[in-house]
Each structure stands twice: as C-alpha cells, then as structure tokens.
mmCIF file of all heavy atoms in Angstrom:
data_model
loop_
_atom_site.group_PDB
_atom_site.id
_atom_site.type_symbol
_atom_site.label_atom_id
_atom_site.label_comp_id
_atom_site.label_asym_id
_atom_site.label_seq_id
_atom_site.Cartn_x
_atom_site.Cartn_y
_atom_site.Cartn_z
ATOM 1 N N GLY J 26 50.701 82.802 132.439
ATOM 2 C CA GLY J 26 51.558 81.560 132.443
ATOM 3 C C GLY J 26 50.734 80.340 132.415
ATOM 4 O O GLY J 26 49.578 80.293 132.138
ATOM 5 N N SER J 27 51.381 79.303 132.726
ATOM 6 C CA SER J 27 50.848 78.017 132.798
ATOM 7 C C SER J 27 51.223 77.346 134.085
ATOM 8 O O SER J 27 52.304 77.794 134.729
ATOM 9 C CB SER J 27 51.334 77.112 131.720
ATOM 10 O OG SER J 27 50.936 75.819 131.912
ATOM 11 N N ASP J 28 50.534 76.463 134.638
ATOM 12 C CA ASP J 28 50.921 75.783 135.883
ATOM 13 C C ASP J 28 51.880 74.623 135.647
ATOM 14 O O ASP J 28 52.390 74.023 136.599
ATOM 15 C CB ASP J 28 49.650 75.200 136.589
ATOM 16 C CG ASP J 28 48.938 74.179 135.790
ATOM 17 O OD1 ASP J 28 48.975 74.298 134.575
ATOM 18 O OD2 ASP J 28 48.284 73.362 136.439
ATOM 19 N N GLN J 29 52.315 74.398 134.312
ATOM 20 C CA GLN J 29 53.306 73.411 134.120
ATOM 21 C C GLN J 29 54.474 74.083 133.347
ATOM 22 O O GLN J 29 54.401 75.055 132.611
ATOM 23 C CB GLN J 29 52.617 72.354 133.298
ATOM 24 C CG GLN J 29 51.586 71.687 133.969
ATOM 25 C CD GLN J 29 51.188 70.411 133.375
ATOM 26 O OE1 GLN J 29 51.927 69.902 132.478
ATOM 27 N NE2 GLN J 29 50.234 69.690 133.916
ATOM 28 N N ILE J 30 55.726 73.465 133.624
ATOM 29 C CA ILE J 30 56.896 73.990 132.851
ATOM 30 C C ILE J 30 56.915 73.444 131.467
ATOM 31 O O ILE J 30 56.314 72.353 131.268
ATOM 32 C CB ILE J 30 58.132 73.707 133.728
ATOM 33 C CG1 ILE J 30 58.366 72.137 133.828
ATOM 34 C CG2 ILE J 30 58.183 74.362 134.996
ATOM 35 C CD1 ILE J 30 59.613 71.780 134.376
ATOM 36 N N PRO J 31 57.521 74.051 130.541
ATOM 37 C CA PRO J 31 57.581 73.561 129.185
ATOM 38 C C PRO J 31 58.505 72.288 129.155
ATOM 39 O O PRO J 31 59.221 72.097 130.090
ATOM 40 C CB PRO J 31 58.249 74.707 128.398
ATOM 41 C CG PRO J 31 58.627 75.746 129.295
ATOM 42 C CD PRO J 31 58.080 75.367 130.713
ATOM 43 N N GLY J 32 58.284 71.598 128.159
ATOM 44 C CA GLY J 32 59.114 70.288 127.980
ATOM 45 C C GLY J 32 60.578 70.542 127.940
ATOM 46 O O GLY J 32 61.062 71.661 127.757
ATOM 47 N N PRO J 33 61.361 69.542 128.204
ATOM 48 C CA PRO J 33 62.843 69.620 128.312
ATOM 49 C C PRO J 33 63.403 70.010 127.032
ATOM 50 O O PRO J 33 62.927 69.628 125.922
ATOM 51 C CB PRO J 33 63.281 68.262 128.759
ATOM 52 C CG PRO J 33 62.203 67.339 128.357
ATOM 53 C CD PRO J 33 60.995 68.106 128.400
ATOM 54 N N LYS J 34 64.447 70.775 127.078
ATOM 55 C CA LYS J 34 65.117 71.283 125.835
ATOM 56 C C LYS J 34 66.196 70.171 125.411
ATOM 57 O O LYS J 34 66.447 70.030 124.118
ATOM 58 C CB LYS J 34 65.930 72.519 126.164
ATOM 59 C CG LYS J 34 66.590 73.203 124.985
ATOM 60 C CD LYS J 34 67.165 74.528 125.402
ATOM 61 C CE LYS J 34 67.911 75.209 124.323
ATOM 62 N NZ LYS J 34 68.543 76.515 124.675
ATOM 63 N N TYR J 35 66.766 69.410 126.333
ATOM 64 C CA TYR J 35 67.760 68.457 125.989
ATOM 65 C C TYR J 35 67.296 66.987 126.382
ATOM 66 O O TYR J 35 66.708 66.849 127.399
ATOM 67 C CB TYR J 35 69.125 68.768 126.710
ATOM 68 C CG TYR J 35 69.603 70.131 126.433
ATOM 69 C CD1 TYR J 35 69.519 71.113 127.382
ATOM 70 C CD2 TYR J 35 70.235 70.345 125.261
ATOM 71 C CE1 TYR J 35 70.032 72.449 127.105
ATOM 72 C CE2 TYR J 35 70.729 71.722 124.962
ATOM 73 C CZ TYR J 35 70.598 72.702 125.901
ATOM 74 O OH TYR J 35 71.138 73.954 125.685
ATOM 75 N N ASP J 36 67.764 66.088 125.558
ATOM 76 C CA ASP J 36 67.501 64.623 125.818
ATOM 77 C C ASP J 36 68.647 64.013 126.580
ATOM 78 O O ASP J 36 69.775 64.463 126.511
ATOM 79 C CB ASP J 36 67.169 63.840 124.559
ATOM 80 C CG ASP J 36 65.910 64.222 123.892
ATOM 81 O OD1 ASP J 36 64.941 64.610 124.587
ATOM 82 O OD2 ASP J 36 65.907 64.242 122.637
ATOM 83 N N VAL J 37 68.393 63.003 127.346
ATOM 84 C CA VAL J 37 69.387 62.205 128.000
ATOM 85 C C VAL J 37 70.365 61.688 126.883
ATOM 86 O O VAL J 37 69.852 61.154 125.919
ATOM 87 C CB VAL J 37 68.871 61.089 128.926
ATOM 88 C CG1 VAL J 37 70.012 60.202 129.367
ATOM 89 C CG2 VAL J 37 68.058 61.614 130.007
ATOM 90 N N GLY J 38 71.696 61.799 126.989
ATOM 91 C CA GLY J 38 72.580 61.365 126.110
ATOM 92 C C GLY J 38 73.061 62.500 125.092
ATOM 93 O O GLY J 38 74.050 62.291 124.402
ATOM 94 N N ALA J 39 72.420 63.569 125.125
ATOM 95 C CA ALA J 39 72.838 64.719 124.256
ATOM 96 C C ALA J 39 74.060 65.316 124.629
ATOM 97 O O ALA J 39 74.410 65.416 125.823
ATOM 98 C CB ALA J 39 71.584 65.719 124.231
ATOM 99 N N GLN J 40 74.829 65.861 123.676
ATOM 100 C CA GLN J 40 76.014 66.630 123.976
ATOM 101 C C GLN J 40 75.687 68.108 124.010
ATOM 102 O O GLN J 40 75.006 68.558 123.155
ATOM 103 C CB GLN J 40 77.062 66.352 122.883
ATOM 104 C CG GLN J 40 78.392 67.042 123.216
ATOM 105 C CD GLN J 40 79.540 66.643 122.201
ATOM 106 O OE1 GLN J 40 79.356 65.762 121.421
ATOM 107 N NE2 GLN J 40 80.596 67.480 122.168
ATOM 108 N N VAL J 41 76.289 68.739 124.976
ATOM 109 C CA VAL J 41 76.063 70.255 125.142
ATOM 110 C C VAL J 41 77.474 70.910 125.369
ATOM 111 O O VAL J 41 78.425 70.246 125.682
ATOM 112 C CB VAL J 41 75.141 70.559 126.321
ATOM 113 C CG1 VAL J 41 73.882 69.992 126.201
ATOM 114 C CG2 VAL J 41 75.732 69.950 127.738
ATOM 115 N N GLU J 42 77.556 72.139 125.058
ATOM 116 C CA GLU J 42 78.772 72.930 125.322
ATOM 117 C C GLU J 42 78.648 73.732 126.549
ATOM 118 O O GLU J 42 77.717 74.480 126.766
ATOM 119 C CB GLU J 42 79.020 73.850 124.092
ATOM 120 C CG GLU J 42 79.262 73.092 122.785
ATOM 121 C CD GLU J 42 80.635 72.355 122.706
ATOM 122 O OE1 GLU J 42 81.560 72.870 123.358
ATOM 123 O OE2 GLU J 42 80.544 71.184 122.281
ATOM 124 N N LEU J 43 79.627 73.678 127.480
ATOM 125 C CA LEU J 43 79.506 74.349 128.814
ATOM 126 C C LEU J 43 80.631 75.358 128.769
ATOM 127 O O LEU J 43 81.816 75.139 128.372
ATOM 128 C CB LEU J 43 79.738 73.384 129.970
ATOM 129 C CG LEU J 43 78.805 72.206 130.092
ATOM 130 C CD1 LEU J 43 79.278 71.182 131.112
ATOM 131 C CD2 LEU J 43 77.387 72.748 130.422
ATOM 132 N N LYS J 44 80.358 76.545 129.247
ATOM 133 C CA LYS J 44 81.370 77.671 129.368
ATOM 134 C C LYS J 44 81.731 77.644 130.920
ATOM 135 O O LYS J 44 80.921 78.012 131.750
ATOM 136 C CB LYS J 44 80.880 78.996 128.932
ATOM 137 C CG LYS J 44 80.636 78.949 127.366
ATOM 138 C CD LYS J 44 80.043 80.325 126.940
ATOM 139 C CE LYS J 44 80.041 80.217 125.430
ATOM 140 N NZ LYS J 44 78.729 80.518 124.877
ATOM 141 N N LEU J 45 82.971 77.265 131.217
ATOM 142 C CA LEU J 45 83.448 77.157 132.566
ATOM 143 C C LEU J 45 84.716 77.803 132.734
ATOM 144 O O LEU J 45 85.396 78.237 131.828
ATOM 145 C CB LEU J 45 83.578 75.660 132.928
ATOM 146 C CG LEU J 45 82.277 74.696 132.712
ATOM 147 C CD1 LEU J 45 82.617 73.256 132.786
ATOM 148 C CD2 LEU J 45 81.209 75.095 133.726
ATOM 149 N N THR J 46 85.177 77.866 134.040
ATOM 150 C CA THR J 46 86.516 78.378 134.334
ATOM 151 C C THR J 46 87.360 77.362 134.876
ATOM 152 O O THR J 46 86.930 76.619 135.805
ATOM 153 C CB THR J 46 86.385 79.565 135.381
ATOM 154 O OG1 THR J 46 85.467 80.512 134.858
ATOM 155 C CG2 THR J 46 87.609 80.230 135.606
ATOM 156 N N ASN J 47 88.577 77.132 134.384
ATOM 157 C CA ASN J 47 89.435 76.085 134.871
ATOM 158 C C ASN J 47 90.225 76.555 136.048
ATOM 159 O O ASN J 47 90.040 77.715 136.553
ATOM 160 C CB ASN J 47 90.419 75.613 133.707
ATOM 161 C CG ASN J 47 91.413 76.672 133.286
ATOM 162 O OD1 ASN J 47 91.563 77.667 133.944
ATOM 163 N ND2 ASN J 47 92.024 76.448 132.114
ATOM 164 N N LYS J 48 91.101 75.737 136.613
ATOM 165 C CA LYS J 48 91.845 76.044 137.805
ATOM 166 C C LYS J 48 92.751 77.246 137.647
ATOM 167 O O LYS J 48 92.957 77.906 138.726
ATOM 168 C CB LYS J 48 92.768 74.871 138.255
ATOM 169 C CG LYS J 48 91.997 73.662 138.687
ATOM 170 C CD LYS J 48 92.946 72.518 139.068
ATOM 171 C CE LYS J 48 92.221 71.292 139.516
ATOM 172 N NZ LYS J 48 93.068 70.201 139.818
ATOM 173 N N GLU J 49 93.181 77.577 136.458
ATOM 174 C CA GLU J 49 94.033 78.813 136.242
ATOM 175 C C GLU J 49 93.121 79.991 136.229
ATOM 176 O O GLU J 49 93.697 81.152 135.987
ATOM 177 C CB GLU J 49 94.884 78.584 135.009
ATOM 178 C CG GLU J 49 96.021 77.581 135.187
ATOM 179 C CD GLU J 49 95.512 76.219 134.978
ATOM 180 O OE1 GLU J 49 94.564 75.967 134.188
ATOM 181 O OE2 GLU J 49 96.096 75.256 135.592
ATOM 182 N N GLY J 50 91.829 79.908 136.199
ATOM 183 C CA GLY J 50 90.961 81.113 136.072
ATOM 184 C C GLY J 50 90.706 81.362 134.636
ATOM 185 O O GLY J 50 90.129 82.591 134.383
ATOM 186 N N ILE J 51 90.994 80.606 133.653
ATOM 187 C CA ILE J 51 90.760 80.772 132.221
ATOM 188 C C ILE J 51 89.400 80.363 131.807
ATOM 189 O O ILE J 51 89.124 79.130 132.150
ATOM 190 C CB ILE J 51 91.904 80.329 131.405
ATOM 191 C CG1 ILE J 51 93.256 80.889 131.826
ATOM 192 C CG2 ILE J 51 91.605 80.456 129.921
ATOM 193 C CD1 ILE J 51 94.441 80.162 131.290
ATOM 194 N N ALA J 52 88.662 81.116 131.116
ATOM 195 C CA ALA J 52 87.360 80.732 130.640
ATOM 196 C C ALA J 52 87.541 79.687 129.511
ATOM 197 O O ALA J 52 88.297 80.008 128.639
ATOM 198 C CB ALA J 52 86.522 81.887 130.236
ATOM 199 N N VAL J 53 86.901 78.525 129.606
ATOM 200 C CA VAL J 53 87.009 77.471 128.551
ATOM 201 C C VAL J 53 85.668 76.979 128.158
ATOM 202 O O VAL J 53 84.699 77.059 128.994
ATOM 203 C CB VAL J 53 87.932 76.351 129.024
ATOM 204 C CG1 VAL J 53 89.349 76.827 129.201
ATOM 205 C CG2 VAL J 53 87.471 75.726 130.298
ATOM 206 N N THR J 54 85.546 76.466 126.998
ATOM 207 C CA THR J 54 84.357 75.735 126.623
ATOM 208 C C THR J 54 84.647 74.341 126.472
ATOM 209 O O THR J 54 85.605 73.902 125.799
ATOM 210 C CB THR J 54 83.856 76.316 125.190
ATOM 211 O OG1 THR J 54 83.605 77.738 125.285
ATOM 212 C CG2 THR J 54 82.547 75.601 124.820
ATOM 213 N N VAL J 55 83.857 73.439 127.167
ATOM 214 C CA VAL J 55 84.049 72.000 127.214
ATOM 215 C C VAL J 55 82.850 71.299 126.810
ATOM 216 O O VAL J 55 81.669 71.757 127.058
ATOM 217 C CB VAL J 55 84.615 71.537 128.556
ATOM 218 C CG1 VAL J 55 85.955 72.178 129.002
ATOM 219 C CG2 VAL J 55 83.591 71.790 129.651
ATOM 220 N N PRO J 56 82.883 70.234 126.102
ATOM 221 C CA PRO J 56 81.732 69.319 125.797
ATOM 222 C C PRO J 56 81.341 68.598 127.035
ATOM 223 O O PRO J 56 82.130 68.268 127.873
ATOM 224 C CB PRO J 56 82.307 68.424 124.711
ATOM 225 C CG PRO J 56 83.728 68.259 124.991
ATOM 226 C CD PRO J 56 84.160 69.624 125.510
ATOM 227 N N GLY J 57 80.051 68.544 127.215
ATOM 228 C CA GLY J 57 79.452 67.679 128.301
ATOM 229 C C GLY J 57 78.348 66.860 127.716
ATOM 230 O O GLY J 57 77.774 67.108 126.637
ATOM 231 N N PHE J 58 77.973 65.767 128.456
ATOM 232 C CA PHE J 58 76.904 64.909 128.056
ATOM 233 C C PHE J 58 75.794 64.822 129.137
ATOM 234 O O PHE J 58 76.152 64.695 130.342
ATOM 235 C CB PHE J 58 77.463 63.443 127.835
ATOM 236 C CG PHE J 58 78.444 63.497 126.701
ATOM 237 C CD1 PHE J 58 79.721 63.715 126.852
ATOM 238 C CD2 PHE J 58 78.026 63.319 125.379
ATOM 239 C CE1 PHE J 58 80.659 63.795 125.862
ATOM 240 C CE2 PHE J 58 78.776 63.372 124.275
ATOM 241 C CZ PHE J 58 80.211 63.567 124.523
ATOM 242 N N ILE J 59 74.534 64.937 128.745
ATOM 243 C CA ILE J 59 73.463 64.837 129.684
ATOM 244 C C ILE J 59 73.238 63.366 130.106
ATOM 245 O O ILE J 59 73.035 62.502 129.325
ATOM 246 C CB ILE J 59 72.144 65.282 129.015
ATOM 247 C CG1 ILE J 59 72.307 66.749 128.383
ATOM 248 C CG2 ILE J 59 70.885 65.266 129.968
ATOM 249 C CD1 ILE J 59 72.406 67.807 129.371
ATOM 250 N N ASP J 60 73.399 63.178 131.484
ATOM 251 C CA ASP J 60 73.236 61.837 132.005
ATOM 252 C C ASP J 60 71.832 61.598 132.642
ATOM 253 O O ASP J 60 71.290 60.449 132.590
ATOM 254 C CB ASP J 60 74.253 61.554 133.158
ATOM 255 C CG ASP J 60 75.678 61.204 132.596
ATOM 256 O OD1 ASP J 60 75.748 60.879 131.331
ATOM 257 O OD2 ASP J 60 76.665 61.206 133.376
ATOM 258 N N GLU J 61 71.242 62.730 133.066
ATOM 259 C CA GLU J 61 70.012 62.553 133.661
ATOM 260 C C GLU J 61 69.236 63.958 133.679
ATOM 261 O O GLU J 61 69.973 64.983 133.531
ATOM 262 C CB GLU J 61 70.167 62.159 135.220
ATOM 263 C CG GLU J 61 68.971 61.718 135.939
ATOM 264 C CD GLU J 61 69.318 61.256 137.329
ATOM 265 O OE1 GLU J 61 70.422 60.748 137.587
ATOM 266 O OE2 GLU J 61 68.403 61.437 138.189
ATOM 267 N N ARG J 62 67.888 63.962 133.731
ATOM 268 C CA ARG J 62 67.215 65.246 133.840
ATOM 269 C C ARG J 62 66.103 65.136 134.809
ATOM 270 O O ARG J 62 65.612 64.048 135.020
ATOM 271 C CB ARG J 62 66.797 65.763 132.426
ATOM 272 C CG ARG J 62 65.732 64.838 131.878
ATOM 273 C CD ARG J 62 65.271 65.409 130.526
ATOM 274 N NE ARG J 62 64.250 64.426 129.961
ATOM 275 C CZ ARG J 62 63.969 64.296 128.744
ATOM 276 N NH1 ARG J 62 64.703 64.882 127.851
ATOM 277 N NH2 ARG J 62 63.039 63.469 128.377
ATOM 278 N N LYS J 63 65.635 66.282 135.406
ATOM 279 C CA LYS J 63 64.477 66.300 136.339
ATOM 280 C C LYS J 63 63.827 67.609 136.266
ATOM 281 O O LYS J 63 64.527 68.618 135.926
ATOM 282 C CB LYS J 63 64.898 65.911 137.641
ATOM 283 C CG LYS J 63 65.779 66.929 138.312
ATOM 284 C CD LYS J 63 66.220 66.519 139.738
ATOM 285 C CE LYS J 63 67.127 67.605 140.407
ATOM 286 N NZ LYS J 63 67.628 67.130 141.720
ATOM 287 N N ALA J 64 62.592 67.584 136.497
ATOM 288 C CA ALA J 64 61.854 68.903 136.501
ATOM 289 C C ALA J 64 62.072 69.492 137.956
ATOM 290 O O ALA J 64 61.738 68.807 138.915
ATOM 291 C CB ALA J 64 60.315 68.635 136.261
ATOM 292 N N GLY J 65 62.633 70.649 137.984
ATOM 293 C CA GLY J 65 62.740 71.355 139.233
ATOM 294 C C GLY J 65 61.719 72.455 139.502
ATOM 295 O O GLY J 65 60.807 72.628 138.596
ATOM 296 N N ALA J 66 61.901 73.154 140.528
ATOM 297 C CA ALA J 66 60.803 74.134 140.829
ATOM 298 C C ALA J 66 60.782 75.362 139.838
ATOM 299 O O ALA J 66 59.770 75.880 139.585
ATOM 300 C CB ALA J 66 61.057 74.795 142.246
ATOM 301 N N THR J 67 61.909 75.629 139.204
ATOM 302 C CA THR J 67 62.033 76.727 138.297
ATOM 303 C C THR J 67 62.231 76.280 136.807
ATOM 304 O O THR J 67 62.365 77.053 136.003
ATOM 305 C CB THR J 67 63.092 77.650 138.677
ATOM 306 O OG1 THR J 67 64.316 76.975 138.692
ATOM 307 C CG2 THR J 67 62.933 78.303 140.081
ATOM 308 N N GLY J 68 62.170 74.994 136.559
ATOM 309 C CA GLY J 68 62.368 74.471 135.280
ATOM 310 C C GLY J 68 63.149 73.196 135.256
ATOM 311 O O GLY J 68 63.352 72.578 136.318
ATOM 312 N N TRP J 69 63.619 72.804 134.110
ATOM 313 C CA TRP J 69 64.358 71.593 133.990
ATOM 314 C C TRP J 69 65.858 71.679 134.489
ATOM 315 O O TRP J 69 66.452 72.743 134.330
ATOM 316 C CB TRP J 69 64.435 71.038 132.526
ATOM 317 C CG TRP J 69 63.104 70.561 132.090
ATOM 318 C CD1 TRP J 69 62.124 71.367 131.511
ATOM 319 C CD2 TRP J 69 62.568 69.246 132.309
ATOM 320 N NE1 TRP J 69 61.018 70.552 131.200
ATOM 321 C CE2 TRP J 69 61.249 69.266 131.756
ATOM 322 C CE3 TRP J 69 63.005 68.039 132.904
ATOM 323 C CZ2 TRP J 69 60.419 68.208 131.845
ATOM 324 C CZ3 TRP J 69 62.236 67.022 132.984
ATOM 325 C CH2 TRP J 69 60.898 66.993 132.451
#
C-alpha cells in the first residue's frame, strides 16, 4: 500500500445519489449534495 489515502472521489458541490430508508421503512434513493469533505483515518 501507500502511507497516503488516494485523492477524493467527489468534489464539494457535487450531486450524489444516496440509498436510504425513510420513516416507513421503505428503501428510497434521494439526491444529496457534498457540502464539505475531509480525510479520515480510513479514507475520505
């Protein structure tokens, strides 16, 4: 490996699709927007 994590996959402001579960327990796909990013211990 490397001692550094690879570059980020998404830029701030990018739109992404999230697969979540709503209050009724139904799986839905919703659009989301990247507001901020940071390098964590296991990746971005």
Side-chain angles (χ1 to χ4, degrees):
S27 170
D28 61 331
Q29 300 201 2
I30 61 173
K34 185 175 180 180
Y35 303 104
D36 291 324
V37 173
Q40 182 175 348
V41 294
E42 296 293 321
L43 302 171
K44 293 180 176 128
L45 304 168
T46 305
N47 65 14
K48 288 181 183 177
E49 290 81 32
I51 300 169
V53 294
T54 301
V55 297
F58 296 90
I59 306 291
D60 280 346
E61 192 178 330
R62 68 181 179 205
K63 65 181 178 181
T67 59
W69 288 95

